[in-house]
Amino acid sequence: MWWDERVSARFRRNLQPTLTYWSVFFSFGLCIAFLGPTLLDLRCQTQSSLSQITWVFFSQQFCLLLGSCLGGVFKRTLSQSLFALFASSLAISLVFAIIPLCHNVVVLAVVMAVAGLAMGCIDTISNMQLVKIYQKDSAIFLQALHFFVGFGALLSPLIADPFLSDTNCILSNSTANASSNLPHIRKSLVPHHPGNLSHYDLPMKGMVVTRVSYAFWIMALINLPVPIAVFFLLYKERMVPCFSSSSHPLLSADELAMETRPVDKDELSTTVQRPHGAVGHDDLFSCCQSKNFRGASYTYFAVHITGALVLFMTDGIVGEYSGFIYSYAVEEPLSVVHKVAGYLPSLFWGFITLGRLISIPVSYRMKPATMVFINVVGVLITFLLLLIFSYSVVFLFVGTASLGLFLSSTFPSMLAYTEDILQYKGCATTVLVTGAGIGEMVLQLLVGSIIHDQGSYSFLVCGMIFGGLAFTFYAFLLFFHRMYPKPSADVDDASPDKPAARDDTGQYQR
């Protein structure tokens, strides 16, 4: 195996919880990507206008951000975390099943708000629990976790595609005028930014003919094994009230050997620090309480803030690029054919997923700090080349693929690096997840407004500026890392240059 025996042994001991958290993140990906392709059919189902239905995007994104902030509330015990994940993954299956029954746009927005809250809880809790289990070995497992998001995000549009309407799904006298433009309108839709699509005459009254309900019911069935997997983990940990017992399973021979082996210097320092680490990873509001700041140096706050700002920019780039690349391509100076331009968002997400898959083995050999540096520099250079070759359709496809690769591993690498600096004592996971969520929503809205006022060329200029800011904030993070107080041990446990320290047992903490 390409990783050492220690990491492999830890993975085997925590196999079921790790696979469960990965599967829950698949639910997250499945739910985050279905809305864009199906929005026009949902507009027909609710018989609403284009501007009204785009508020469903905002409802989901805002509540996803709120759920990310509140997700840390459920981390205080393993039981709370698992019950929250069970409820959230089950809620996503129920949302998929209920969406076909929503014939009012307000009801649909409320249902998507519930989905957003569930997704936010999944995002925060799954990242937190994997960091808690693997600590300094967490980078590789976080990369795998975020691969499953990309896999789910790729799968849901593929499921929906056969059931999308090729012509207008509300039959009326004006249907013929809008039917030929329907694929273009679908690919141009961006959260809360109908933009220049308002001149299309889309009927709101008439006979509704759409088969998109089947897509949602299929996704509900595909997602159903995920809450079942979480329930089995609850059962294994004796946390289901009806099946709880005071006794726990005996350790296997390998686990017993790990428990009884001698403790070396690195492990001792990690063990001594763990009781203090328990104060970290609260929800965002608990993190902001003054009692958590007593005795903290200014670099403690600086690491949190700069880390969140890096992800604010990089996740914001993911949101705005995937949302507007189609609109940019079909307008001058490129004027790409609509059908060809429609492949660009899929290419972008495909290379994000591929990059996350590649990053799983790479993250074992390369330090998180180095991976983030390569990512932010790669994003900056890619946008620079896209500006230089802004008249080349071929390079637009090459640049889109390159950007997807460089952005793919930024979040998990940044999370692992920041937690490593803070020695797993701060609120890095909650703050970084929240910062990324705000960036994805705010930059998308900002870029949409700028493109509307200044034209499509400003799309690449905005990306270049955001990439430059991400690099600047990362440079500040490196500076604050050097200034951050060293742990009491002889070796700097927080340094990204130090090999991963062993946990005392590597056991799944109850």
Side-chain angles (χ1 to χ4, degrees), residues 202-266:
L202 295 177
M204 296 174 57
K205 300 295 180 183
M207 182 183 297
V208 177
V209 283
T210 176
R211 300 183 300 134
V212 77
S213 301
Y214 297 109
F216 291 117
W217 288 329
I218 290 171
M219 285 187 274
L221 289 174
I222 290 175
N223 188 70
L224 196 57
V226 177
I228 295 174
V230 181
F231 179 82
F232 276 122
L233 183 57
L234 281 165
Y235 175 77
K236 180 195 173 187
E237 298 298 327
R238 306 293 195 268
M239 293 174 182
V240 181
C242 300
F243 304 100
S244 60
S245 172
S246 57
S247 61
H248 292 286
L250 295 176
L251 295 176
S252 67
D254 290 339
E255 292 169 339
L256 185 60
M258 288 294 293
E259 290 278 3
T260 57
R261 65 180 172 79
V263 179
D264 61 27
K265 183 178 180 180
D266 286 339

Side-chain angles (χ1 to χ4, degrees), residues 1 3-15 134 141 254-255 258 505-507:
M1 185 174 284
W3 56 17
D4 62 39
E5 183 57 32
R6 177 181 58 81
V7 178
S8 179
R10 175 175 288 190
F11 176 60
R12 288 195 299 270
R13 287 194 304 277
N14 298 291
L15 180 62
Y134 293 102
F141 299 99
D254 290 339
E255 292 169 339
M258 288 294 293
T505 63
Q507 289 292 340

Side-chain angles (χ1 to χ4, degrees), residues 24-47:
V24 171
F25 240 54
F26 169 78
S27 287
F28 181 91
L30 200 65
C31 200
I32 203 170
F34 78 87
L35 197 53
T38 61
L39 204 64
L40 284 182
D41 287 82
L42 292 175
R43 186 201 71 83
C44 296
Q45 180 180 295
T46 56
Q47 298 194 10

